[in-house]
Amino acid sequence: MGTEGANVRVIGGRYRLEAEIGRGGMGVIWRSTDTLLARQVAVKELGLDESLSEGEARLQREQMLREARAVAQLRHPNIIVVHDVVLDDGRPYMVMELVEGPSLAERLAQDGPVDALHAARIGLALLGALRVAHAGGVQHRDLKPANVLLESDTGRIVLTDFGIARVAGATTLTESGGFVGSPEYTAPERMQGGRTGPAADLWSLGALLCAALSGESPFRRDSLGGILHAVLYEEALPPAEAAPLLPVVRGLLEREPERRLDVDEAERLLRAYVATGATPQAAQARLPFLPPPLDTVVVRRRRIPTRVVLVAAAVVAAVTGAGISAAVLLARQDGDGQPPTSTAGPTRTETTTQAPTPTVTVTRAPTRTGQPPVTAPPGYRGVRDAKGFALAVPKGFSRSVDGPWVYYLSADRTFRIGVRVSAPQNGGPAATQQRAAAAGPRTNPGYRDGKITDTSHDAHDAALWEFTWDDPTSGGQARRVMDLCWEEGGRRYDIRVSAPVGRADEARGYFDAAVDTFAPPAGQ
């Protein structure tokens, strides 16, 4: 049993807890002395839910100890060294090396963002740590600046706090329907309550690199609901400071896990930058987007066979007492695109709150039996989108969603083909485009050379809006945009293609192919 003294406890008969140096939802970190070996260590006191029954508490202790012991087997210079795991008075403790130095979060708060070279080196260190962890069957699941330590004397970068890690073959603390973690750095597939793989840690690394370069996660918002909505539905827009590492950041923040950069490719790109100082070139996309089969339920931009029973786990805020259900978020995906109301703001304290499992209504993708296949010119492929429309897109382009827009993007995101289906607006297409153009300077940095041309599309009145703007996500690159708007069957359609100004002629070919092959949803 731990002994109490003048603010001092000794646990396990040898570890003297002397001063609290950190605290989180999963426990307290103590600066401690190993009295047997006469060395300084860090001891993590893992918190237990006092409301649990004796049997539940015992199971929770066994699970935590099993995971802690598994992490203790990991050996890598960028992973915290675990010396011991002990039970004292029925409570588990993890004994680790003491790293003298600030966390990355503290470093950013005190000194501001780091440069691209420093960020690349941080990324390489963490990729090395994740490679070893994943090979050992351990997913960290809480990769964020607060869990990255910077050793003052050596400059060593250390990944710590595997408190909510998942070990292959073991039931984890958070698989009972609750969500634990830091929403700004959590992969969308984890937010959606499904089982996740190592790719979720790589998404977190992408958000962490953005924070290192700019000072904050790209998903930071004014409310918890805003954060969750951004992670689940909004296109990840890396900060301008990420331009030197843009292929890495974009690749890590791919929403679909199977399209995300893996450890090998991310390492290759970062090493290339460290060696040359030049923005590395990403490889071609490994997997082309395939439209969902007709017997597939389309949910949360992931394709889930109809035979699978969908259970939406509660997405629980990393805020004491504040919860928001996955069902509320999912219901908004095809609505007005606004985040659900939440009065709670994000904090750095992680707690687990069990919320009732909500009911989710699953809607099948409309059956399009009898529709003719899309005729695609050479170098293109026909796509029948989950939104119901069809068109031809260049081979190798992949699908992404940003609010009401569906985009098909080239592998390096140089070319963007967007489609929006919405309700008609007053005044028809010309008036709609005039209003959009009037707001251009406010919505598009560096807006210029705007022009609207009245035209037609398939015998329907249409308006073509063209303009140039400076894209902050690509270092202020000047891009030319072509946007055709028309109304048909009680719906408004926009087809938009954009590209760097110097490649606008090539983009015009993509635009013409998209317009010429576009077919609205069946019945429209």
Side-chain angles (χ1 to χ4, degrees):
M1 175 178 279
T3 59
E4 300 286 347
N7 298 321
V8 171
R9 283 185 292 153
V10 176
I11 56 100
R14 61 185 285 190
Y15 302 109
R16 185 170 64 238
L17 313 185
E18 296 168 342
E20 181 181 320
I21 57 175
R23 177 180 291 269
M26 299 301 292
V28 178
I29 308 294
W30 299 90
R31 178 186 293 272
S32 308
T33 297
D34 180 347
T35 59
L36 182 63
L37 298 180
R39 66 178 176 182
Q40 290 283 288
V41 295
V43 173
K44 182 173 184 178
E45 179 180 6
L46 298 175
L48 291 177
D49 187 345
E50 302 296 341
S51 67
L52 297 178
S53 68
E54 182 178 345
E56 290 171 329
R58 181 174 63 254
L59 178 60
Q60 191 178 48
R61 287 193 297 269
E62 291 171 354
Q63 291 170 344
M64 285 193 291
L65 286 171
R66 182 166 59 246
E67 293 182 3
R69 288 173 181 137
V71 174
Q73 304 305 310
L74 302 178
R75 293 288 183 268
H76 190 274
N78 301 115
I79 295 179
I80 194 78
V81 175
V82 176
H83 296 308
D84 197 4
V85 179
V86 298
L87 273 176
D88 191 283
D89 196 21
R91 188 178 296 271
Y93 296 80
M94 189 185 304
V95 183
M96 305 170 290
E97 67 171 316
L98 180 65
V99 178
E100 296 283 8
S103 69
L104 177 58
E106 292 167 335
R107 159 66 172 77
L108 296 175
Q110 179 176 341
D111 300 325
V114 304
D115 60 30
L117 182 59
H118 193 176
R121 288 171 173 159
I122 291 172
L124 285 170
L126 295 176
L127 283 167
L130 291 175
R131 181 190 296 278
V132 169
H134 295 165
V138 177
Q139 299 167 32
H140 189 278
R141 305 207 307 169
D142 198 19
L143 186 59
K144 60 184 179 181
N147 287 339
V148 176
L149 303 180
L150 310 176
E151 193 166 49
S152 297
D153 292 341
T154 66
R156 184 167 65 111
I157 297 158
V158 183
L159 178 58
T160 188
D161 201 347
F162 286 76
I164 64 170
R166 183 180 189 277
V167 179
T171 301
T172 70
L173 295 176
T174 58
E175 286 183 351
S176 59
F179 169 82
V180 178
S182 305
E184 291 178 52
Y185 297 93
T186 299
E189 62 265 30
R190 277 203 66 217
M191 288 286 198
Q192 292 167 331
R195 295 180 67 86
T196 60
D201 282 342
L202 295 171
W203 168 284
S204 301
L205 178 59
L208 181 145
L209 288 176
C210 289
L213 288 160
S214 69
E216 65 180 27
S217 161
F219 305 104
R220 179 165 298 179
R221 299 294 187 271
D222 292 336
S223 69
L224 176 64
I227 292 172
L228 300 181
H229 188 274
V231 171
L232 285 170
Y233 304 132
E234 296 177 18
E235 182 180 2
L237 296 177
E241 296 87 346
L245 303 179
L246 201 57
V248 184
V249 172
R250 279 181 167 166
L252 292 172
L253 293 179
E254 281 282 358
R255 182 161 273 105
E256 296 291 342
E258 62 270 20
R259 298 193 60 83
R260 209 166 290 156
L261 282 187
D262 58 20
V263 170
D264 289 341
E265 179 64 4
E267 277 191 344
R268 182 189 72 79
L269 294 173
L270 289 177
R271 290 191 190 283
Y273 179 78
V274 171
T276 67
T279 300
Q281 295 299 309
Q284 291 296 312
R286 296 182 300 278
L287 293 173
F289 172 79
L290 297 177
L294 296 181
D295 63 346
T296 297
V297 174
V298 178
V299 181
R300 304 175 296 185
R301 285 202 298 275
R302 301 176 67 189
R303 299 183 295 282
I304 303 177
T306 54
R307 64 179 179 275
V308 175
V309 178
L310 260 182
V311 179
V315 177
V316 180
V319 182
T320 304
I324 182 169
S325 77
V328 173
L329 291 171
L330 299 180
R332 303 301 293 270
Q333 178 176 353
D334 294 317
D336 58 13
Q338 299 300 313
T341 302
S342 172
T343 58
T347 76
R348 297 184 181 275
T349 302
E350 295 90 31
T351 61
T352 304
T353 303
Q354 183 66 43
T357 301
T359 299
V360 177
T361 301
V362 180
T363 303
R364 286 178 57 88
T367 301
R368 292 180 279 277
T369 303
Q371 292 191 34
V374 179
T375 301
Y380 288 70
R381 61 189 176 90
V383 170
R384 197 163 295 283
D385 194 86
K387 295 279 190 179
F389 61 81
L391 78 166
V393 301
K395 293 179 179 179
F397 277 44
S398 61
R399 185 178 188 265
S400 178
V401 177
D402 183 9
W405 287 90
V406 174
Y407 284 99
Y408 286 87
L409 310 173
S410 62
D412 59 1
R413 302 202 174 205
T414 296
F415 299 98
R416 307 168 188 170
I417 302 172
V419 177
R420 178 173 62 182
V421 182
S422 57
Q425 297 186 13
N426 293 336
T432 297
Q433 297 289 52
Q434 291 287 354
R435 287 190 291 268
R442 185 178 71 253
T443 58
N444 297 276
Y447 176 87
R448 59 194 180 275
D449 301 331
K451 180 177 69 172
I452 295 176
T453 304
D454 290 336
T455 183
S456 64
H457 175 68
D458 287 347
H460 300 285
D461 289 341
L464 175 64
W465 176 30
E466 300 174 88
F467 63 91
T468 301
W469 73 301
D470 299 325
D471 183 3
T473 69
S474 57
Q477 177 189 63
R479 295 183 65 86
R480 188 65 179 171
V481 178
M482 294 164 280
D483 185 315
L484 181 70
C485 169
W486 77 96
E487 295 175 7
E488 179 179 354
R491 305 294 288 170
R492 167 191 164 194
Y493 296 95
D494 284 86
I495 294 180
R496 171 179 290 190
V497 174
S498 72
V501 167
R503 304 184 71 177
D505 289 344
E506 187 177 349
R508 171 69 69 174
Y510 297 152
F511 178 77
D512 291 342
V515 170
D516 290 345
T517 61
F518 183 85
Q524 294 283 324

